[in-house]
Amino acid sequence: MKLVKSSIEKGKVALDRPGLKGRIIYDRENAQAVVIDIAEGMELAEHKTPVDVFILVLAGRGIITIGGDKHEVMKDDIIDSPKMIPHGIVNTGEETMRVLVVKAPHP
C-alpha cells in the first residue's frame, strides 16, 4: 500500500474567520477530521452536527459547552459530543487553542 502523507497546512480550508481557522485533514466516506485553531479569547459558536463527534484538544485550554453543560478542557482531553446536541468552544487560555474534530460517519 502506498503511504499518503500530508500536513495540517495542506488541508482544505473549511473555516476562515478572524480568530478561527479550520482545515479538513481527513475526508473519506466513513469519517471526516478537521483541525481548528481558536485564537486567545475567541469562540467557536454553539452549533449542531448531524453525526457523532469527538474532540481532541491538541494545544491550549478552554471551555467546551455540550448540551448546555460547560466543561473545562486542556491539552490531551477527549470530549464526546453526540449528534444533534449543541456544542461550542471558547478559548480561555493565553495561547491559540488547537482541537481535532472527528465526525463519524461522514456528515
Side-chain angles (χ1 to χ4, degrees):
M1 179 174 179
K2 181 181 175 184
L3 172 69
V4 178
K5 181 180 175 183
S6 190
S7 68
I8 293 170
E9 290 73 28
K10 291 181 182 177
K12 179 182 175 185
V13 174
L15 175 64
D16 190 4
R17 291 187 228 145
L20 294 171
K21 304 290 181 207
R23 293 188 179 271
I24 298 170
I25 61 165
Y26 182 86
D27 198 15
R28 301 289 189 276
E29 183 178 336
N30 294 321
Q32 183 181 67
V34 181
V35 171
I36 302 173
D37 289 333
I38 306 168
E40 180 182 345
M42 297 302 292
E43 174 180 8
L44 179 62
E46 281 193 47
H47 60 284
K48 295 178 184 178
T49 54
V51 297
D52 292 332
V53 173
F54 81 80
I55 302 161
L56 169 61
V57 181
L58 299 172
R61 62 186 173 96
I63 305 267
I64 291 183
T65 303
I66 298 178
D69 295 328
K70 296 183 183 301
H71 308 273
E72 275 193 57
V73 294
M74 64 181 74
K75 184 178 184 243
D76 296 334
D77 285 346
I78 300 170
I79 299 88
D80 179 39
S81 181
K83 67 181 179 180
M84 300 312 294
I85 300 296
H87 57 277
I89 306 170
V90 177
N91 180 348
T92 59
E94 297 177 358
E95 64 180 314
T96 297
M97 183 179 190
R98 177 171 273 187
V99 296
L100 171 66
V101 178
V102 177
K103 302 173 186 178
H106 190 290

